[in-house]
Amino acid sequence: MHPTIHATFAEAARAWPDHACMAVLEETAELYGISAGEITYAAAAMAIGRLTDAYRAAGYGIGHRVGLLLENRPDFILHWFALNGLGAAVVPINPDLRAAELEYLVTHSEIVLAVAIPARQASLRDAAAARGADLAVIGPDAPPPPAARPATVQAGEMGSEAALLYTSGTTGLPKGCIVSNFWFLRCGQWYLEMGGLCALRPGAERMLTPLPLFHMNAMACSVLAMVMSGGCLIVLDRFHPRSWWHSVIAARATIIHYLGVMPAILMAAPPAPEERAHAVRFGFGAGIDRRLHAPAEARFGFPLIEGWAMTETGAAATIQDNIEPRRIGESCIGTPRDYVQVRIEAEGGREAETDEPGELLVRASGPDPRAGFFTAYLKDAAATAAAWECGWFHTGDVVRCAADGRLFFVDRKKNVIRRSGENISALEVEGVLQQHPLVRAAAVGALADDVRGEEVFACIVLAGPVATPGEAARQLVAWCMERLAYYKAPGHVCFIDALPLTTTNKIQRGEMCKLIERLAADPGCIDTRALKRRTA
């Protein structure tokens, strides 16, 4: 591996100068107001070189962080690589963030410059001003202003900070994960060496992703996998269900990346010839509803490979189910490889028994248990130390391990409801509720219960009006009891207008806890506990 992302791309450009490294589909170009078509490695290298020269002349380098609010445009990658060549770190910024969120990110990250699309430049300046700071903000085609303070040096190193990636903030304020060049390169190398159903063909792959470049999946895994294999990356602005298969065909995609909600939406649509008129070899993602896994593979004609990783772990502890025979439709995330050590910790700190759920703890094999992991949480040494308690990284995810060593995902630890001694996954209950035609969106949490300890509380956003809420609630409970163990069905149902979501449409679990406490006293909350009866 090469010491920096920039150096790795430079070698790829020498090896595959005429190959496409990026492509912009017509639909994406129209939405963004940019040119459609392919960008070769040679052309990208020239553009990166020009940007590198401009940033160097303006004094940017190690010790600087530069914010990138450029959506899923090629400019994001070009500016990132240019800055990386000088040792500067980038801070990807979610374009959906609003005033308070931007104020926090701008000041917490201490970015010295922001490169942003025109529509968001004023909001970035305003966010800095609201905290008493003066932030330089430019467009992707503008020359950078002189750096506000001198750089440390002008050369990158493998262990140097390459980016500051913010977590989604589902349980509190987002944490800034400091990640190094090695972290990124390990992601690319892992993908390159994964093999099995995910074996990459040098110079031949075309990966299509609708996932955001400000997250690990697209920024690290997709970008570095294609660069290190000489492939072409096609990034959509987001997932568009109606035009998805058209995009897959137009991109000539051989690989697609997905989130669990995507197959569910596609499976709900009527079958169409386009679903099989593609060249996709495999999809890679996480969170597919286990009931849809096998039917989706059969319908669309390629394997959907489930995996597990976190921003903090990078690819140092990635686990994926890409080797046949797979355990399809069982929420299996695969068997850990020899580069990662795994411990499953049950309640009380003991090691979990076979098939007993517990928190997943991971660390790198070898002399350095943190090799390839994130460097630290910015300005939060206590949180970093807590995450690495006893020399293991505590993921907060609950899994179980079968006798054959395969791991099965259960849920986030904070999402597990403890009812009468039974552990209930909020994610599992939500997945069943969301398949009911009455439901547009659902979120499940725990409500304290005098008898059972905790009870399942379901917040439902309806797909349309219902004549009798009580009858609708009974239908939902019956639906769950037909598909789940009786104790997992909601004991309380409340119909609400909207769920508390992050800017990346994840449920804000911290806010859900507060919301459930408030809704429990609402006259509109429907008590369905009497409907939960064990059946023979």
Side-chain angles (χ1 to χ4, degrees), residues 240-291:
H240 297 276
R242 292 183 180 179
S243 58
W244 171 250
W245 293 115
H246 171 79
S247 300
V248 171
I249 294 166
R252 307 197 310 279
T254 61
I255 304 167
I256 61 106
H257 275 204
Y258 67 89
L259 293 179
V261 67
M262 290 170 53
I265 293 172
L266 294 171
M267 287 292 284
E274 293 81 8
E275 295 175 355
R276 300 299 290 259
H278 56 72
V280 176
R281 298 173 50 236
F282 66 87
F284 194 93
I288 187 171
D289 188 299
R290 55 192 176 89
R291 299 164 188 80

Side-chain angles (χ1 to χ4, degrees), residues 175-398:
K175 294 185 179 72
C177 294
I178 300 171
V179 294
S180 66
N181 276 280
F182 182 79
W183 182 95
F184 276 103
L185 297 177
R186 180 72 185 87
C187 288
Q189 195 68 25
W190 155 77
Y191 213 130
L192 203 62
E193 297 173 351
M194 195 183 337
L197 293 171
C198 300
L200 298 183
R201 303 167 300 176
E205 304 298 353
R206 296 176 66 87
M207 181 184 289
L208 177 71
T209 180
L211 307 183
L213 284 169
F214 57 80
H215 274 181
M216 168 197 173
N217 188 302
M219 184 181 182
C221 300
S222 295
V223 173
L224 270 299
M226 289 300 94
V227 166
M228 296 174 81
S229 68
C232 178
L233 182 66
I234 307 100
V235 188
L236 303 178
D237 69 301
R238 61 182 177 85
F239 174 56
H240 297 276
R242 292 183 180 179
S243 58
W244 171 250
W245 293 115
H246 171 79
S247 300
V248 171
I249 294 166
R252 307 197 310 279
T254 61
I255 304 167
I256 61 106
H257 275 204
Y258 67 89
L259 293 179
V261 67
M262 290 170 53
I265 293 172
L266 294 171
M267 287 292 284
E274 293 81 8
E275 295 175 355
R276 300 299 290 259
H278 56 72
V280 176
R281 298 173 50 236
F282 66 87
F284 194 93
I288 187 171
D289 188 299
R290 55 192 176 89
R291 299 164 188 80
L292 298 177
H293 197 169
E297 290 195 357
R299 177 170 164 179
F300 304 139
F302 56 87
L304 295 164
I305 308 302
E306 289 281 289
W308 177 92
M310 298 175 65
T311 301
E312 288 89 338
T313 68
T318 300
I319 306 165
Q320 60 283 330
D321 192 29
N322 65 311
I323 305 295
E324 296 286 14
R326 294 176 295 141
R327 300 284 289 270
I328 301 169
E330 299 182 50
S331 300
C332 180
I333 55 174
T335 305
R337 303 287 180 88
D338 57 6
Y339 55 76
V340 58
Q341 294 181 4
V342 166
R343 173 182 168 86
I344 301 176
E345 191 169 274
E347 291 183 16
R350 63 178 176 83
E351 191 160 2
E353 303 289 341
T354 299
D355 279 327
E356 180 184 10
E359 183 181 4
L360 175 64
L361 276 55
V362 293
R363 64 186 180 191
S365 300
D368 182 3
R370 303 192 186 192
F373 282 71
F374 78 124
T375 305
Y377 292 121
L378 180 66
K379 302 175 184 176
D380 201 339
T384 304
W388 279 105
E389 184 182 357
C390 299
W392 290 87
F393 182 79
H394 293 245
T395 70
D397 285 342
V398 177

Side-chain angles (χ1 to χ4, degrees), residues 80 90 191 289-290 298 302 439 501 526 536:
W80 167 28
V90 297
Y191 213 130
D289 188 299
R290 55 192 176 89
F302 56 87
V439 176
L501 302 175
I526 301 164

